[in-house]
Amino acid sequence: MRVLSLSTLFPSPMRGGFGKFVANQMAALHRLGGVDLTMINPVGLPPFPLSLRRPYRDWARCPAQSQLGGLTVLHPRFTLIPMIGGDDNPARIARAILPLVRRLHAEKPFDLVDAQFFFPDGPAAAIIARELGLPLTIKARGSDIHYWGGRPAALRQMLAAADEAAALLTVSAALGRDMAALGMDEAKLRVHYTGLDRERFTPTPRDEARAALPDQLGLILPKGAPLLVCPGALIAIKGQALAIGALADLPDAHLALAGTGPDEAALRQQAAPFAPRVHFLGQVSHDALPLLMSAADAVILPSEREGLANVWIEALACGAPLVIPDIGGAREVVGSPMAGRIAERSPAAIAAAVAELLATPMEQADVAAQVAGFSWEANAGRLKEIWQEAR
């Protein structure tokens, strides 16, 4: 089976951590075999002179082709109109890459066109699939549905692409219900859960992990102090302000924020009354994140919206129970008290949920067992099945 997959959400040599979970999925598929996969990661660049500004001037240095996880990834350029041109990106992407796609298809025909994000990838892939006369699959991950689905011009394109698709993949059953509510055909929906790097994300005994934090991350905690970890970009929709507010009812707890973003200054100001119990760790590497989560008594993610967050699964795999709101696939992950608590998006509710977890500590192995079925191998196998059905 020869598949052309389009993904704007994918690492490149200039954006190594961007869309890493899509790369993990495709690398696992490559290892599984049976699929001849061509990855296209379009790089958007604005017209001159905006292209001279950061980050665009850095993105412009991306090579036309790169290697990742055994895969060859193509990085064609398309014209990006910052701030105002988002709704028109699918047409610009398709226009820019169609000559390349036609040439590749002529050399060795594809069997299927795939999109790894619903917007702009889905409508762009629909144009390509139509041009080549091939079946189409589109995957939804969360913000592509919840944000772009709220923009009428984008939604019209998404619904048209969904009508043309043979299958619509969704990271959770809950996100699938949101897609159906927008008008997508429920019969086409296929739940495709995220994967997990089981070698990387595994429990390190909590005491051992905490002992390593000063050297690994410069994080020093008082003996016996509860540690709460809040990973994610420092932006409003991730809800770090709610986690900081919960400290008012958790007088002994320390909170570690793992991430960077435009809200950092405001969050530091909010956290000032709780100093030194709030720790801004900056961007924590994928190598250090399992250690940090293994050291945590709980991982808090009070996001406004998610499909099914990869970090939920990674935290549980390290033995850290979750405190998350009732969004997306939360109830598909926190299906047992061993996995944590679902709490309203308020400081008081978050604090109450954390207090419950601290009062009834669980063995890390029991927490990790809640995600025993997640792996990139299982994820790749399911993706291959869906593609085979759709072709």
Side-chain angles (χ1 to χ4, degrees), residues 141-142 146 175 238 301 303-309 312 327-329:
R141 296 181 178 274
H146 297 139
L175 183 62
K238 293 298 184 181
L301 290 107
S303 304
E304 180 181 315
R305 58 180 184 262
E306 299 280 359
L308 190 150
W312 293 350
I327 56 171

Side-chain angles (χ1 to χ4, degrees), residues 11-348:
S12 73
M14 311 315 300
R15 305 177 77 183
F18 187 67
K20 184 70 173 173
F21 45 90
V22 184
N24 288 337
Q25 168 188 280
M26 295 312 198
L29 186 73
H30 180 72
R31 293 192 298 271
L32 179 64
V35 176
D36 182 359
L37 178 65
T38 297
M39 284 301 312
I40 294 188
N41 168 231
V43 177
L45 297 174
F48 180 85
L50 291 178
S51 58
L52 299 179
R53 298 180 181 177
R54 284 185 173 172
Y56 306 118
R57 71 182 187 190
D58 295 328
W59 298 357
R61 293 166 42 224
C62 179
Q65 181 174 308
S66 67
Q67 296 288 323
L68 185 66
L71 290 172
T72 297
V73 185
L74 305 176
H75 305 283
R77 272 58 170 167
F78 73 95
T79 301
L80 179 73
I81 310 298
M83 304 299 293
I84 61 171
D87 292 338
D88 299 324
N89 277 337
R92 281 195 294 271
I93 291 171
R95 199 160 46 240
I97 69 175
L98 263 172
L100 168 65
V101 168
R102 287 194 186 103
R103 176 173 60 79
L104 294 172
H105 186 58
E107 292 172 355
K108 190 176 180 182
F110 295 108
D111 298 304
L112 177 81
V113 177
D114 167 70
Q116 282 296 308
F117 203 60
F118 222 104
F119 195 88
D121 308 21
I127 295 170
I128 293 166
R130 197 181 315 131
E131 286 284 329
L132 301 184
L134 294 176
L136 168 70
T137 59
I138 308 173
K139 183 162 185 177
R141 296 181 178 274
S143 61
D144 46 357
I145 297 299
H146 297 139
Y147 175 75
W148 291 105
R151 295 173 63 106
L155 179 59
R156 284 195 296 273
Q157 297 173 71
M158 292 162 67
L159 291 177
D163 284 345
E164 296 183 35
L168 304 173
L169 289 70
T170 170
V171 295
S172 68
L175 183 62
R177 291 191 289 272
D178 293 342
M179 294 163 70
L182 288 176
M184 297 183 190
D185 186 351
E186 192 172 356
K188 294 182 179 181
L189 295 175
R190 304 290 184 270
V191 176
H192 183 224
Y193 285 126
T194 187
L196 174 68
D197 184 341
R198 302 206 67 86
E199 292 184 5
R200 185 186 301 271
F201 291 95
T202 187
T204 298
R206 188 162 288 127
D207 289 344
E208 180 182 328
R210 290 199 178 192
L213 290 179
D215 288 338
Q216 295 293 319
L217 293 171
L219 177 56
I220 300 173
L221 301 170
K223 187 175 179 60
L227 173 62
L228 313 176
V229 171
C230 189
L234 304 184
I235 53 179
I237 64 169
K238 293 298 184 181
Q240 290 94 349
L242 300 173
I244 293 172
L247 294 178
D249 295 325
L250 299 166
D252 298 323
H254 283 239
L255 176 66
L257 302 179
T260 60
D263 285 5
E264 182 169 343
L267 292 170
R268 284 185 179 274
Q269 184 175 3
Q270 180 195 355
F274 303 109
R277 292 196 290 131
V278 181
H279 308 270
F280 288 82
L281 302 181
Q283 193 65 47
V284 175
S285 74
H286 225 51
D287 291 328
L289 189 59
L291 182 75
L292 179 63
M293 294 196 292
S294 290
D297 293 280
V299 167
I300 306 174
L301 290 107
S303 304
E304 180 181 315
R305 58 180 184 262
E306 299 280 359
L308 190 150
N310 291 66
V311 76
W312 293 350
I313 307 303
E314 292 167 351
L316 291 172
C318 293
L322 299 171
V323 175
I324 57 177
D326 194 2
I327 56 171
R331 292 189 180 275
E332 295 165 58
V333 175
V334 183
S336 158
M338 286 290 180
R341 300 291 186 273
I342 291 177
E344 292 181 5
R345 294 186 75 243
S346 72

